[in-house]
Amino acid sequence: MQASPIKVAILDLNNNHPNQGLRCIKELVENHPEPLEWQIFDVRHKLEIPDTSFDIYISSGGPDSPLENGVGEQNFLNLIDELWKLNQSGLEPKKQFFFVCHSFQIACRYFKIGQIKPRRSKSFGIFPVHKEVAGLTDPLLKHLPDPFYALDFRDWQIIKPNKNRLEELGAKVLCKEKIRPHIRLERAIMGIRFSEDWVGFQFHPEADPEGIATYFQTEEKKASVVEVYGEQKFDAIIEGLEDPNQIPLTYNTIIPMFITDAIKRVRKAEPAIS
């Protein structure tokens, strides 16, 4: 008997702002070796929200504060709450969830993981990400070097993790931002394993190196980056997108392994990645 197709909900939190991330997520889902049924939901602009019938949920980044309380944000929080309670109820197979950047911040808000604060200045570019102890063996990170590299664009951050809350949830901090001994500021959390089935990252693991490089090298985008951040920053971004040990490695590892692991958990046909 043929198994029913795995259903994937892609949640767009970009609020109608032009972006590359949604295209990247869609292509990762489309290009997965196992055919997947997928649907995009415009959560903030069109106020679309999936029901609980999907197997896998992947939510994008987006602009603005993760502390906003608009209708779209509340719908998204309600979905998180409903799916989390379903998983806690003993439902099998459990719902699989992956959070990126803005949606990761909202998930941390829902779980009361730590403090959500604006950064002193915007993070923009490719940076090393350092694993915490749990990240050394996590299925999505263990095959990456320490540190690995990620594309990071954000105005907000999660700091001061609530250890009691993490322990209560069974959640683990997987990685933090680059080490800066000369700066006396707490390093932001860059990834959390909320449960065996839910995980999120502050950076953009969906960033398609070739497509993003092409986008950055358009005349308009290059001029805007150079004007604000300088030629050296622009060159470093292009170099990191082309270096197989930087963004291509992250892109080909984290989300593809999440989808593969999620399918195995839903199918129950073979053990999860270990």
Side-chain angles (χ1 to χ4, degrees):
M1 183 176 178
Q2 187 175 7
S4 58
I6 299 290
K7 295 174 59 181
V8 182
I10 301 173
L11 288 79
D12 176 8
L13 274 73
N14 287 286
N15 204 18
N16 207 35
H17 286 242
N19 71 95
Q20 293 291 308
L22 193 67
R23 172 189 62 80
C24 296
I25 292 172
K26 182 170 74 74
E27 290 179 359
L28 281 164
V29 172
E30 283 184 318
N31 294 333
H32 193 273
E34 177 166 341
L36 303 167
E37 285 190 2
W38 57 270
Q39 184 175 346
I40 294 175
F41 296 85
D42 188 338
V43 175
R44 298 173 67 194
H45 180 61
K46 296 182 180 178
L47 303 182
E48 298 171 344
I49 201 75
D51 60 22
T52 62
S53 67
F54 290 83
D55 303 296
I56 301 172
Y57 298 77
I58 303 176
S59 55
S60 76
D64 307 320
S65 165
L67 302 177
E68 286 190 9
N69 291 306
V71 175
E73 285 80 8
Q74 192 56 56
N75 288 343
F76 185 62
L77 285 165
N78 291 343
L79 177 67
I80 292 174
D81 184 64
E82 188 171 8
L83 294 176
W84 182 257
K85 287 177 178 176
L86 277 176
N87 280 7
Q88 298 303 301
S89 73
L91 169 79
E92 293 291 346
K94 289 183 167 57
K95 305 299 181 178
Q96 311 294 307
F97 217 138
F98 191 99
F99 302 89
V100 174
C101 195
H102 183 76
S103 61
F104 167 73
Q105 296 165 356
I106 294 177
C108 289
R109 169 186 169 185
Y110 169 79
F111 286 113
K112 299 180 173 61
I113 290 291
Q115 293 185 16
I116 304 173
K117 299 285 186 180
R119 289 176 53 84
R120 288 190 175 182
S121 60
K122 183 181 182 69
S123 179
F124 187 96
I126 294 173
F127 302 98
V129 178
H130 296 264
K131 299 180 188 179
E132 296 288 282
V133 172
L136 297 172
T137 57
D138 189 84
L140 306 189
L141 298 184
K142 70 178 185 179
H143 298 296
L144 291 173
D146 185 19
F148 61 95
Y149 288 84
L151 206 60
D152 185 33
F153 307 116
R154 60 192 164 92
D155 296 303
W156 292 78
Q157 60 185 352
I158 312 297
I159 58 172
K160 300 188 183 302
N162 184 328
K163 295 181 180 179
N164 290 335
R165 182 62 176 149
L166 288 167
E167 185 175 341
E168 179 185 350
L169 291 167
K172 303 289 184 183
V173 175
L174 299 181
C175 48
K176 289 187 176 181
E177 67 181 341
K178 66 180 181 180
I179 298 172
R180 300 170 296 177
H182 59 290
I183 297 179
R184 298 182 64 183
L185 293 173
E186 184 170 354
R187 291 160 60 217
I189 297 170
M190 298 300 282
I192 292 178
R193 169 71 65 179
F194 298 104
S195 70
E196 288 186 350
D197 309 285
W198 289 26
V199 67
F201 294 96
Q202 176 63 80
F203 55 86
H204 289 274
E206 82 281 15
D208 154 36
E210 185 175 345
I212 299 294
T214 299
Y215 168 70
F216 265 93
Q217 291 178 93
T218 60
E219 186 175 338
E220 181 180 359
K221 186 61 179 177
K222 178 178 180 180
S224 67
V225 172
V226 170
E227 180 181 0
V228 177
Y229 299 100
E231 191 87 34
Q232 187 175 1
K233 169 69 76 172
F234 176 83
D235 291 342
I237 291 173
I238 299 303
E239 180 182 342
L241 289 166
E242 295 176 346
D243 183 345
N245 294 312
Q246 290 195 33
I247 300 307
L249 185 59
T250 302
Y251 171 76
N252 288 316
T253 301
I254 294 180
I255 293 183
M257 292 192 74
F258 166 77
I259 295 174
T260 297
D261 190 25
I263 291 170
K264 288 180 179 180
R265 291 180 182 277
V266 172
R267 291 277 186 235
K268 299 289 186 178
E270 51 186 310
I273 296 172
S274 61

